[in-house]
């Protein structure tokens, strides 16, 4: 349980499974285990518990919620302050950020949904060297490159680079002169960079840090008046809640994203529908899931908006839609439909989908093992190809987590040489 609690809080610390028995016999755990254990007991009991109450005295580190410092007004000034908070690396050196769970995880999205539009005049700044619109074009081009690098390499290698770009955007917003249209674009660029930073953190298993970036990103998207980007951020929060086992919260967040976006662009509306479908699938709500999937595929067939689509929604193509539908039917244990969608996704995917390709193969291997007549050989082949990708190209704790679950499903077949070989190959990724 303590190790699970550490992983939930995005911590790398680990202890031997028998170590907590020593704590029960009177040993005092080293920092940060008193704080981590107290946070775990707090979550189980639903009331605050300190390390002192557990008999260990005060810890040298402090536990604070992921939203610490980010309870701010939904204004341009609030957006700027949120950006400063998340780019100040030193502000959390002596603190453990705790993942927001339950209603607390939904609260920022609800505030975004209900927040009034900000003061447009506040988006301009009258002092400092001017920022031309073309400078923002260059920034957005670089953000697009970072997104593509994430597709190819995974979330474990790019966060420092994204943070550097965030600091540059903050400097422009804080110290330069710009018009209202340029200021709006800069806030939108900051929002997308923070969304990407949150995604990279989530993909690396750092859940509280991901939430921190996403809450700040929501503030920046609101300041920019970008409801589509805000809905996409809330959709990412829904995905995270699903992975954390917070199924009802995942549904709530997905429905909040749908409610907060007016639906002018078919592809973005489809993204919202697919996030909702995944949440409903995890909630075993078959009718709602299928309705959301039907809506998503219908929207993907609609003509694009006359005003165009934002660059960040490129990732939702037919292949990804089929992959997400495959995940849904896997959770609903409809093996035939799940298999059809995932095979279609693998057949249609492009050359730059290394991480998603690995995930799709892992999910399809799950189906081959769990269907009425298991096909172990095909499952081993798919899993082996996914392991090769994760060992050689992609750094993604999220996908490795799915691989870990899959390896567990191979346990009944561990006497087979091919399964033993696969397990040995996966071992270095899982420890």
């Amino acid at each position: 349980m303590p190790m699970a609690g550490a992983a939930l809080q995005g911590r790398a610390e680990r202890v031997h499974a028998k170590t907590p028995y020593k704590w029960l016999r009177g040993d005092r755990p080293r920092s940060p285990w008193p704080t981590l254990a107290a946070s775990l007991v707090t979550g189980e009991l639903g009331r605050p518990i300190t390390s002192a109450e557990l008999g260990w005295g005060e810890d040298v580190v402090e536990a604070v919620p992921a939203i610490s410092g980010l309870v701010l007004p939904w204004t341009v000034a609030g957006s700027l302050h949120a950006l400063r908070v998340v780019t100040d690396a030193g502000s959390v050196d002596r603190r453990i950020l705790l993942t927001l769970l339950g209603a607390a995880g939904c609260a920022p999205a609800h505030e975004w949904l209900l927040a009034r539009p900000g003061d447009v005049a506040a988006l301009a700044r009258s002092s400092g060297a001017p920022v031309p619109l073309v400078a923002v074009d260059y920034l957005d081009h670089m953000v697009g490159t970072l997104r593509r690098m994430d597709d190819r390499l995974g979330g474990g290698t790019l966060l420092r680079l994204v943070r550097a770009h965030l600091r540059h955007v903050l400097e422009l917003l804080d110290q330069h002169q710009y018009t209202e249209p340029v200021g709006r674009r800069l806030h939108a660029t900051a929002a997308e960079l923070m969304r990407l930073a949150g995604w990279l953190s989530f993909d690396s298993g750092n859940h509280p840090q991901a939430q921190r970036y996403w809450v700040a990103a929501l503030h920046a998207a609101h300041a920019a008046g970008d409801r589509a980007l805000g809905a996409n951020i809330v959709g990412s929060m829904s995905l995270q809640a699903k992975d954390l086992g917070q199924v009802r919260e995942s549904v709530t967040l997905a429905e909040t994203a749908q409610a907060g976006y007016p639906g002018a662009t078919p592809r973005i509306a489809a993204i919202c529908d697919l996030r909702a479908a995944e949440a409903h699938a995890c909630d075993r709500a078959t009718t709602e899931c299928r309705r959301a999937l039907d809506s998503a595929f219908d929207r993907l067939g609609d003509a694009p908006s006359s005003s165009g689509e934002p660059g960040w929604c490129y990732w939702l193509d037919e292949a990804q839609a089929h992959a997400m539908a495959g995940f849904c039917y896997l959770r609903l244990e409809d093996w035939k439909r799940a298999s059809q969608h995932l095979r279609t996704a693998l057949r249609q995917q492009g050359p730059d989908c290394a991480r998603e390709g690995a995930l799709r193969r892992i999910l399809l291997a799950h189906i081959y093992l769990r269907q009425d007549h298991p096909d172990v050989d095909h499952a081993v082949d798919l899993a082996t190809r996914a392991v090769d990708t994760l060992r050689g190209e992609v750094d993604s704790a999220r996908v490795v987590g799915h691989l870990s679950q899959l390896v567990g499903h191979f346990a009944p077949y561990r006497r087979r040489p091919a399964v033993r070989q696969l397990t040995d190959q996966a071992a270095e990724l899982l420890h």
Side-chain angles (χ1 to χ4, degrees):
M1 284 292 283
M3 285 188 287
L8 179 66
Q9 307 307 341
R11 306 291 299 191
E13 292 91 345
R14 296 293 184 268
V15 294
H16 191 276
K18 295 183 179 180
T19 299
Y21 292 105
K22 297 181 180 178
W23 303 346
L24 293 173
R25 292 196 299 268
D27 286 2
R28 187 186 191 283
R30 68 183 186 277
S31 183
W33 290 109
T35 296
L36 288 170
S39 70
L40 182 63
V41 175
T42 293
E44 291 294 321
L45 297 182
R47 61 182 179 87
I49 298 293
T50 66
S51 59
E53 290 178 87
L54 296 177
W56 295 327
E58 295 296 331
D59 201 349
V60 297
V61 295
E62 177 190 7
V64 298
I67 202 172
S68 177
L70 294 171
V71 181
L72 299 165
W74 292 85
T75 61
V76 172
S79 169
L80 282 170
H81 189 78
L83 179 53
R84 294 187 196 104
V85 167
V86 298
T87 53
D88 180 11
S91 65
V92 293
D93 284 346
R94 303 303 299 169
R95 294 187 291 171
I96 292 177
L97 296 173
L98 300 180
T99 304
L100 301 174
L101 301 173
C106 298
H110 289 160
E111 290 185 15
W112 164 80
L113 179 65
L114 299 175
R116 295 181 178 180
D119 180 9
V120 173
L123 289 166
R125 192 172 188 274
S126 58
S127 61
V131 180
L133 193 59
V134 68
V136 190
D137 292 335
Y138 285 128
L139 278 171
D140 288 344
H141 177 75
M142 287 188 285
V143 175
T145 300
L146 291 169
R147 286 193 294 256
R148 299 287 184 172
M149 290 174 68
D150 169 56
D151 292 340
R152 186 70 187 177
L153 303 175
T157 58
L158 297 177
L159 185 56
R160 185 175 299 179
L161 188 56
V162 172
R163 286 179 59 86
H165 281 79
L166 266 175
R167 286 191 292 270
H168 177 60
V169 174
L170 175 59
E171 179 187 350
L172 293 177
L173 283 165
D174 258 349
Q175 302 178 21
H176 289 253
Q177 176 187 157
Y178 43 84
T179 62
E180 178 269 320
V182 171
R184 186 181 298 276
R185 287 277 304 278
L186 285 172
H187 278 277
T189 299
E192 174 57 9
L193 279 167
M194 288 187 284
R195 183 211 63 81
L196 180 57
W199 172 261
L200 296 172
S201 301
F202 165 60
D203 195 46
S204 300
N206 193 333
H207 294 292
Q209 182 172 266
Q211 290 179 331
R212 196 166 176 80
Y213 278 121
W214 283 334
V215 170
L218 273 181
H219 277 277
H222 180 73
D226 194 333
R227 300 300 290 182
L229 180 52
N232 190 38
I233 295 164
V234 176
S236 296
M237 296 166 74
S238 172
L239 173 62
Q240 181 190 46
K242 169 181 70 66
D243 278 17
L244 292 173
Q246 301 273 292
V247 176
R248 290 307 308 162
E249 289 75 15
S250 178
V251 171
T252 298
L253 287 164
E255 291 176 343
T256 302
Q258 290 176 309
Y261 177 61
T265 303
R267 189 182 299 265
I268 298 171
I271 290 173
C272 294
D273 286 339
L274 286 165
R275 292 295 185 217
E278 289 185 322
H280 287 307
C282 292
D283 199 32
R284 311 289 291 184
T286 302
T287 300
E288 291 83 354
C289 175
R290 289 179 175 173
R291 185 182 299 125
L293 287 174
D294 289 343
S295 176
F297 279 98
D298 287 345
R299 291 177 188 271
L300 279 177
D302 291 343
S305 170
S306 58
S307 59
E309 295 174 329
W312 51 258
C313 71
Y314 73 95
W315 62 270
L316 182 61
D317 54 14
E318 287 284 341
Q320 181 61 22
H322 280 290
M324 295 172 78
F327 169 83
C328 291
Y329 284 116
L330 170 61
R331 293 305 298 260
L332 295 173
E333 298 186 3
D334 187 335
W335 312 126
K336 182 178 179 180
R337 285 190 174 91
S339 178
Q340 289 172 341
H341 281 290
L342 285 166
R343 285 202 302 265
T344 299
L346 285 167
R347 187 169 60 250
Q348 292 183 349
Q349 72 183 24
D352 293 329
C353 294
R355 177 181 53 204
E356 293 306 312
L359 178 57
R360 292 163 190 175
R361 290 187 175 93
I362 289 169
L363 295 177
L364 187 54
H366 270 289
I367 295 167
Y368 281 133
L369 285 180
R370 297 175 63 188
Q371 63 190 6
D372 294 338
H373 301 287
D375 188 339
V376 180
D377 291 337
H378 271 103
V380 168
D381 178 65
L382 287 162
T384 299
R385 295 176 67 182
V387 168
D388 289 343
T389 298
L390 292 169
R391 291 169 68 192
E393 299 178 53
V394 173
D395 183 3
S396 173
R398 178 176 62 99
V399 179
V400 169
H402 285 279
L403 175 65
S404 178
Q405 295 176 16
L406 176 63
V407 169
H409 286 299
F410 274 110
Y413 311 101
R414 59 183 175 272
R415 294 181 180 274
R416 298 192 183 194
V419 173
R420 287 201 303 270
Q421 183 178 3
L422 167 65
T423 303
D424 291 343
Q425 291 174 342
E428 64 186 72
L429 292 168
L430 302 180
H431 296 291

